[in-house]
Amino acid sequence: MALNAAISDQAHWRTVLEQQKIANALRWLQILESSEEPILLVREDYDNFLRALETTLQKPETFDIAYKLSQLLFPIVFGYADWDRWLVYLNQALHTSQTLKLRDKEARMLEQIGDILYHKGDLDRAEESYQTASQLYENTDSPTNYYRTLAMLATLKDLQGDVDEGIILCQKIIILATQAKDKLALANANLNLSNIYRRTRHWKRALETAKKAFSLYGELGHSVFLTKASITLIAIWAESGNWEEVNKLSSELMGLLTESGDVYRLSQLKNNLGSVAYSKRNYKIAEAAWQEAVQLHSQIQEPMELAGIYNNLGMVYTQLEEWDTAEEMLLKAITAYRRFGDVFNWANSLDNLADLYEALEQTAVFKQTLQEAIDGLQVLKDTPHANELLDYMQKRLAAVE
């Protein structure tokens, strides 16, 4: 009798404890929903929010709370780059949404898994997640979400060398979103299109579309996306030498990103500020900014962004005549770009490596490096920005020959 009573008591208290955990999770959700400064709140109580999420993810009965929490947290904590942990959460939520046949939530989980895989450099799996999500969104009549995943697929097309296809896809989304009067989808498509134009050196178009995205996000009050658009604008202004705009916007962002703990976007900002200093031939300042960006990335491990920083450091160390370090940085960038299949940036880093060998008067390896880049870039020779780089390298090689 006593044994049965003890077992019964244990079961009772386990039930009470579970109910308390769920009530606590619900309380954290309500606090977050009503907060006037959710970014600061999440930074201060991140562990508490994670415990609330973990508790509610365990059972289908509490999935609604878990889903609401995850959607409020994800855009805020994405910049923390706590990606491996969040992949576990999202995959757990994906499984539950599939079990419960909640197609709209299944699509959202797949999209967010795609976002993390994209930033981790796993482009093939990211594309697969985005494709499945976009099909689900289309079938569940969720146009804004459908357009958003198409915009990410357009970005992947660009990185994989199908630049024209990426641009056409973004332009298609802009037409559809305009007809539907969907401001958020329109802003997302313009920002993705701007980044494609930026990577392909179409600066005027990049600036126009980035400004449209920035304006739309401002109207909608989307602070996280407004920050993303701001970083894109800074990168474009840095290339065109518009230092006044760069200084104004970057000083506003620096404090905001530092305060919010957004390591990912802070590293992007440092990278852009390094480009500003490099353009002004302030090589020591550029080196310091890019080294700070590398240090921030040690917390993130975002390989595509890191490849660009390594390339930049290789360029600045070449200017500073620190040859061994320059070569090391450029080889890291080349290896990374080759792994992602980013042919243009791979060739561009090889061209920068050729600069180093030219400065050292190592003619044979200079020619070999340029030829490797020229041969590899042939697959993109019909693309204007790639053709421009190809023509430039061919002339350099011919001059030596």
Side-chain angles (χ1 to χ4, degrees):
M1 185 74 175
L3 180 60
N4 289 339
I7 293 171
S8 176
D9 284 347
Q10 287 176 13
H12 168 72
W13 288 114
R14 275 199 299 271
T15 302
V16 169
L17 182 60
E18 285 298 317
Q19 289 171 344
Q20 287 176 341
K21 284 182 178 180
I22 293 165
N24 190 51
L26 190 57
R27 184 176 67 85
W28 280 111
L29 172 60
Q30 290 166 346
I31 290 171
L32 185 55
E33 286 177 326
S34 60
S35 174
E36 293 182 2
E37 294 187 320
I39 292 172
L40 296 181
L41 173 66
V42 171
R43 185 183 181 187
E44 290 170 1
D45 290 298
Y46 186 46
D47 288 343
N48 287 322
F49 283 112
L50 291 186
R51 276 193 288 273
L53 182 60
E54 288 166 4
T55 297
T56 52
L57 277 172
Q58 288 173 8
K59 293 182 178 179
E61 294 80 13
T62 53
F63 179 67
D64 187 53
I65 300 172
Y67 181 78
K68 287 177 182 176
L69 259 176
S70 72
Q71 294 314 290
L72 289 169
L73 289 171
F74 187 79
I76 296 173
V77 304
F78 189 84
Y80 297 1
D82 192 9
W83 293 331
D84 289 334
R85 188 204 307 257
W86 273 86
L87 273 178
V88 173
Y89 294 154
L90 293 173
N91 275 300
Q92 195 172 349
L94 173 64
H95 175 72
T96 304
S97 62
Q98 288 170 334
T99 302
L100 298 174
K101 294 183 169 50
L102 301 170
R103 298 300 178 221
D104 56 335
K105 292 178 174 60
E106 178 186 352
R108 187 68 174 139
M109 295 300 103
L110 282 163
E111 181 191 353
Q112 290 175 334
I113 288 168
D115 289 342
I116 292 177
L117 292 172
Y118 168 78
H119 285 281
K120 283 173 69 68
D122 195 341
L123 302 187
D124 289 339
R125 286 176 63 208
E127 184 176 12
E128 185 181 329
S129 282
Y130 286 136
Q131 285 282 12
T132 309
S134 68
Q135 289 163 9
L136 284 166
Y137 281 139
E138 188 176 20
N139 292 335
T140 55
D141 194 26
S142 303
T144 298
N145 298 326
Y146 174 59
Y147 300 150
R148 188 174 58 243
T149 50
L150 285 184
M152 284 309 301
L153 285 167
T155 297
L156 284 171
K157 291 294 181 189
D158 169 44
L159 289 173
Q160 292 162 345
D162 296 328
V163 180
D164 290 340
E165 192 172 342
I167 290 172
I168 290 167
L169 192 50
C170 279
Q171 289 172 337
K172 174 187 172 183
I173 300 162
I174 287 170
I175 292 168
L176 292 170
T178 302
Q179 290 171 348
K181 296 182 180 178
D182 190 331
K183 279 189 178 182
L184 183 56
L186 192 58
N188 292 334
N190 271 290
L191 184 58
N192 284 46
L193 183 57
S194 175
N195 282 311
I196 293 175
Y197 283 141
R198 181 169 63 86
R199 283 192 290 268
T200 55
R201 278 57 173 175
H202 288 99
W203 301 115
K204 185 179 178 183
R205 293 177 189 171
L207 184 59
E208 288 171 358
T209 45
K211 281 183 173 179
K212 284 178 187 174
F214 183 87
S215 176
L216 287 163
Y217 287 134
E219 290 173 22
L220 292 165
H222 278 267
S223 59
V224 173
F225 285 111
L226 196 63
T227 299
K228 289 175 68 175
S230 299
I231 288 169
T232 298
L233 279 170
I234 288 169
I236 296 164
W237 281 327
E239 285 290 341
S240 58
N242 193 337
W243 312 127
E244 185 179 346
E245 293 288 0
V246 168
N247 292 335
K248 179 183 173 184
L249 195 52
S250 61
S251 60
E252 293 173 8
L253 272 182
M254 189 68 73
L256 177 66
L257 294 173
T258 303
E259 187 179 12
S260 67
D262 192 332
V263 179
Y264 172 61
R265 294 188 180 92
L266 185 58
S267 70
Q268 286 186 310
L269 180 58
K270 293 284 186 184
N271 191 12
N272 289 340
L273 293 178
S275 298
V276 171
Y278 186 87
S279 299
K280 293 181 175 180
R281 300 180 185 276
N282 294 330
Y283 298 130
K284 281 293 184 183
I285 295 174
E287 178 203 4
W290 284 330
Q291 282 291 0
E292 282 184 58
V294 167
Q295 290 304 312
L296 288 165
H297 265 76
S298 68
Q299 303 173 49
I300 303 171
Q301 299 302 313
E302 203 270 22
M304 286 192 292
E305 191 83 15
L306 192 57
I309 300 170
Y310 282 143
N311 174 73
N312 293 342
L313 280 169
M315 290 167 60
V316 80
Y317 284 128
T318 298
Q319 294 295 333
L320 294 170
E321 298 184 1
E322 296 184 27
W323 310 117
D324 290 344
T325 309
E327 185 178 41
E328 179 190 351
M329 294 294 107
L330 288 167
L331 288 172
K332 282 184 176 181
I334 290 160
T335 301
Y337 284 133
R338 185 190 295 117
R339 191 168 71 248
F340 306 139
D342 188 340
V343 177
F344 177 80
N345 281 312
W346 167 82
N348 185 59
S349 290
L350 277 170
D351 183 53
N352 292 332
L353 185 61
D355 289 341
L356 184 152
Y357 293 138
E358 185 177 35
L360 291 172
E361 298 182 355
Q362 295 180 4
T363 306
V365 69
F366 164 75
K367 289 164 61 177
Q368 180 185 342
T369 303
L370 271 184
Q371 190 63 60
E372 183 183 353
I374 289 166
D375 292 344
L377 204 55
Q378 294 297 323
V379 296
L380 297 180
K381 64 182 179 182
D382 294 329
T383 308
H385 71 293
N387 200 39
E388 186 179 333
L389 177 60
L390 189 60
D391 184 57
Y392 169 73
M393 291 191 297
Q394 286 171 332
K395 285 177 179 176
R396 290 185 74 186
L397 191 60
V400 176
E401 297 290 355

